[in-house]
Amino acid sequence: MGRFSNVLQKLWFYSYNIFDILYKLWFYCFDRIILYPMVRCLTPTIDMQFMNLGYWPNETTTNLDKKMIEVVNKYSTLSDSNRSLLKERLNISNIDSNRPHYYLYEKPLSMHPQYSSLNNLSILEVGCGHGNGIKWIRRSHPEISSIKGLDICAKPNQYIVQGDAHDLPFSNNLFDISQFYSNLLKYDSNNNYYLVLNVESSHLYSDCSIFFKECSRVLKQGGYLCWIDLRYNIQMSDVYRQAEKAELRREYCYDVTDNVIQGIQRTSARYDEILKKLPLLMRILSSSFRSTYCAPGTKSYGRLLKREKSYYAVLWKNMKMCQTTKKNNA
């Protein structure tokens, strides 16, 4: 009887692991083959501009988030004409704006030491998707010099370069932060300063240690990586170790899981309404769509509630000395 019980336990263990691998593989393929192309094609119709979970300030973080709340309040208000147009297209009575998504972008930026004044700053976003985060930053921070995005699935345009986060197509030490370091760091040829922004993207990378090394390579000494993403709790020690090996020093780290859950409650309600308006073929895949944006009731949402996974915002400072070897620019 004991031997039979051991056999059953092993069968359950292997079956569970095989199922888990297939489950992750399905969503890996679903995101790239179905979701991303669909969002690109239907964005003008369904107004599904972002593929991140969202963030919402709460009573605990109100003081910490005060500056970014002011920024979002100032630049995210929908005009009456746009609100009416969305209602007419989608027949949704209660339109929720993209504020939770805007907050998710502002949160890592707000950790930057000069967040209140980003004058003459040029930003590189790694993992920019279809570029709607770039559009938001251009609107909310008109004082910046420029912004460019990179994504392996993106359609290139004047603001976006198609490329791999494991092999950034930029020269060594090209990016740093802002004029705060102008007396310490060498200017690049255009007198521009850069930081690297990474929003809910790195959990999809096959080897995050390479990504951190690439960030360290392209950042100037003293440059910043503003990062926000989700991980299984047991994975965060590896994330910190990988960043440390890349000579990125952790300046700030916040567990923002509660804020992201509140953001999900707002974004998922809107996307659930949008799903009802999609063609039948897409509605058949609604459970996969809902798992992707962690709608309440899904397994992915449950992992956050149970704290099997958590969401973190981290600011790293590049401590690596400048290198002389260079890679051709994109």
Side-chain angles (χ1 to χ4, degrees), residues 74-244:
K74 182 177 180 180
Y75 290 100
S76 69
T77 303
L78 282 174
S79 67
D80 291 338
S81 59
N82 285 340
R83 192 178 300 275
S84 298
L85 180 62
L86 289 174
K87 286 183 179 181
E88 181 181 345
R89 283 181 177 177
L90 299 176
N91 192 27
I92 298 175
S93 58
N94 184 20
I95 292 291
D96 187 11
S97 72
N98 286 311
R99 284 191 178 191
H101 304 297
Y102 300 153
Y103 279 130
L104 196 70
Y105 266 84
E106 291 300 321
K107 183 60 183 180
L109 282 177
S110 70
M111 297 187 294
H112 188 282
Q114 286 187 268
Y115 177 66
S116 58
S117 178
L118 300 178
N119 292 331
N120 301 320
L121 173 66
S122 295
I123 299 173
L124 170 68
E125 184 190 357
V126 178
C128 66
H130 299 303
N132 287 296
I134 291 175
K135 292 178 182 178
W136 161 251
I137 293 174
R138 287 174 58 211
R139 186 163 88 239
S140 63
H141 296 281
E143 75 276 15
I144 67 173
S145 174
S146 64
I147 184 168
K148 183 173 283 288
L150 176 143
D151 197 283
I152 197 168
C153 298
K155 184 177 181 180
N157 58 40
Q158 68 180 106
Y159 296 108
I160 299 175
V161 174
Q162 190 173 47
D164 190 346
H166 300 90
D167 187 22
L168 299 178
F170 300 100
S171 299
N172 295 346
N173 318 125
L174 180 63
F175 306 131
D176 57 25
I177 50 169
S178 66
Q179 57 194 16
F180 179 78
Y181 285 94
S182 62
N183 61 334
L184 300 176
L185 299 174
K186 186 177 179 180
Y187 283 33
D188 67 12
S189 59
N190 297 315
N191 291 334
N192 286 333
Y193 295 90
Y194 292 76
L195 66 79
V196 174
L197 177 65
N198 190 245
V199 177
E200 200 176 296
S201 176
S202 65
H203 67 279
L204 298 171
Y205 302 163
S206 60
D207 190 340
C208 210
S209 64
I210 297 177
F211 162 68
F212 284 126
K213 289 177 182 177
E214 282 293 276
C215 288
S216 178
R217 179 182 65 79
V218 301
L219 279 167
K220 288 186 178 180
Q221 185 181 7
Y224 286 94
L225 168 61
C226 301
W227 181 93
I228 188 165
D229 210 344
L230 72 165
R231 287 291 192 280
Y232 284 101
N233 294 328
I234 59 174
Q235 293 177 320
M236 280 308 294
S237 58
D238 289 334
V239 171
Y240 295 143
R241 185 165 53 251
Q242 290 166 353
E244 184 179 0

Side-chain angles (χ1 to χ4, degrees), residues 276-293:
K276 297 176 184 178
K277 311 298 177 182
L278 294 179
L280 177 61
L281 179 61
M282 294 181 179
R283 278 185 277 132
I284 292 174
L285 298 171
S286 61
S287 60
S288 294
F289 282 114
R290 298 189 81 246
S291 292
T292 298
Y293 56 78

Side-chain angles (χ1 to χ4, degrees), residues 255-308:
D255 184 330
V256 296
T257 310
D258 288 336
N259 302 92
V260 170
I261 288 173
Q262 291 183 41
I264 289 171
Q265 291 168 356
R266 290 164 171 81
T267 58
S268 63
R270 178 168 176 254
Y271 289 149
D272 282 347
E273 290 294 326
I274 289 174
L275 274 179
K276 297 176 184 178
K277 311 298 177 182
L278 294 179
L280 177 61
L281 179 61
M282 294 181 179
R283 278 185 277 132
I284 292 174
L285 298 171
S286 61
S287 60
S288 294
F289 282 114
R290 298 189 81 246
S291 292
T292 298
Y293 56 78
C294 294
T298 62
K299 183 183 291 187
S300 52
Y301 183 77
R303 289 194 181 107
L304 290 172
L305 282 182
K306 296 174 184 177
R307 293 302 192 273
E308 294 175 12

Side-chain angles (χ1 to χ4, degrees), residues 242-254:
Q242 290 166 353
E244 184 179 0
K245 284 185 177 180
E247 298 186 54
L248 296 170
R249 187 180 72 191
R250 193 179 355 148
E251 301 286 289
Y252 300 105
C253 177
Y254 300 103

